Amino acid sequence: MPKLVATDLDGTLLRSDLTVSDRTLTTFSRLERAGITLVFVTGRPWRWMDPVLAQTGRRGRVVCANGAVVLDGASGEVLRNWTIPTETLRTVTTSVRESFPDAIFAVERGPRMLHEADYPVRHDLGRTDEDLVSYEELIAEPAEKLLIRAPSVEAAELWTRCTRVFDGTVTATHSGFRGLIEVSATGVTKATGLAWVAQHYGVDPDGVLAFGDMPNDIPMLSWAARGVVVAGAHPEAAAVAHTVTTGNDADGVATYIDALLDEAEAATPR
């Protein structure tokens, strides 16, 4: 049995309508009774966590922004963050624009998103934490995440070409969305954020079970003793996983955990 269960959210734990099923909530209660720690590890910025925590209960630790931010789930306090330095933001964005003249940038900085004029944002969602700024304002201070949009190319191609340009100065990943990659400080991934949290709980990788579905989950799936993807996962993520569970709309995370807990309970002497 694992000591800690880590799960991605979108496409993995959450259903397509972004809800958490009653069955999954019941499974979380079983984990809690078994003394197993649950950690959410997501590419979402921490400003997007409220709708999830409102459904799951505000507790424990949450790793956000692909590992760049660790939150206290109960209070919302930022416990640790890793930022891209200002000068690195300037160097990276300048290099990207030389390769992709149509590139558009945004950053996640603290509780707000700052974006250039043509960066696609969902105005229909009525968010009040996204600000249109100039390029100079965008790179004026360190940021937890840099988002790069180049609509003319697929995400995998953009990631490949930009990674060559970055030459190790930052760490990039993607979630399969066309023309979008997400950039963190050097070496920052879901695995490093999760490792920081696991250390807090006194758990090493051998005690971790991780769930994911996209390329940005690969470091976490590889770091954990057992990495599981849901059905329909991106092929790159599936290639590093130990096994596959049912899809997110079929409660794949709960299905896998319940089977483990059932087996453990059956083996317990009565």
Side-chain angles (χ1 to χ4, degrees):
M1 291 296 294
K3 297 178 181 178
L4 185 152
V5 171
T7 181
D8 171 53
L9 295 176
D10 297 281
T12 300
L13 179 76
L14 302 182
R15 292 189 161 195
S16 296
D17 63 0
L18 304 183
T19 61
V20 181
S21 71
D22 290 341
R23 186 215 172 149
T24 295
L25 293 176
T26 298
T27 299
F28 289 169
S29 296
R30 292 185 72 189
L31 280 177
E32 194 169 51
R33 290 195 299 271
I36 299 170
T37 299
L38 173 67
V39 180
F40 299 136
V41 187
T42 177
R44 289 184 175 217
W46 61 272
R47 63 193 178 90
W48 281 11
M49 283 307 302
D50 275 353
V52 178
L53 295 177
Q55 297 180 70
T56 61
R58 300 176 187 276
R59 63 170 77 91
R61 300 291 186 265
V62 181
V63 180
C64 304
N66 289 323
V69 180
V70 178
L71 291 181
D72 181 285
S75 67
E77 176 189 0
V78 175
L79 302 176
R80 183 71 165 87
N81 71 330
W82 294 265
T83 57
I84 307 169
T86 301
E87 191 53 43
T88 303
L89 284 173
R90 180 180 294 277
T91 301
V92 165
T93 52
T94 299
S95 299
V96 169
R97 276 229 168 98
E98 289 173 356
S99 299
F100 297 95
D102 64 340
I104 317 163
F105 304 119
V107 295
E108 294 287 349
R109 179 177 292 141
R112 306 196 70 80
M113 177 196 195
L114 310 180
H115 63 90
E116 293 187 295
D118 293 329
Y119 193 89
V121 293
R122 292 286 303 278
H123 296 293
D124 58 306
L125 297 179
R127 298 201 67 93
T128 59
D129 51 11
E130 298 173 346
D131 300 323
L132 170 61
V133 298
S134 69
Y135 170 74
E136 289 298 330
E137 290 176 288
L138 188 129
I139 64 168
E141 298 177 44
E144 283 86 7
K145 191 199 298 191
L146 167 68
L147 298 105
I148 301 172
R149 289 267 193 178
S152 60
V153 295
E154 294 293 341
E157 179 186 351
L158 182 62
W159 177 85
T160 300
R161 291 173 61 182
C162 283
T163 298
R164 295 194 196 107
V165 170
F166 297 156
D167 194 28
T169 57
V170 288
T171 298
T173 189
H174 71 89
S175 299
F177 296 106
R178 180 177 176 84
L180 172 65
I181 62 171
E182 302 179 9
V183 180
S184 304
T186 305
V188 173
T189 67
K190 286 190 174 185
T192 59
L194 176 58
W196 191 88
V197 171
Q199 185 177 36
H200 167 81
Y201 288 110
V203 179
D204 62 27
D206 287 345
V208 178
L209 166 64
F211 295 89
D213 74 310
M214 281 291 170
N216 62 332
D217 295 314
I218 290 173
M220 173 176 71
L221 294 170
S222 302
W223 178 81
R226 179 161 291 268
V228 180
V229 293
V230 294
H234 192 286
E236 293 177 20
V240 304
H242 295 90
T243 190
V244 181
T245 184
T246 55
N248 61 312
D249 285 321
D251 300 326
V253 172
T255 297
Y256 191 92
I257 293 171
D258 282 341
L260 284 181
L261 294 173
D262 289 346
E263 184 178 351
E265 289 172 4
T268 303
R270 298 185 183 276

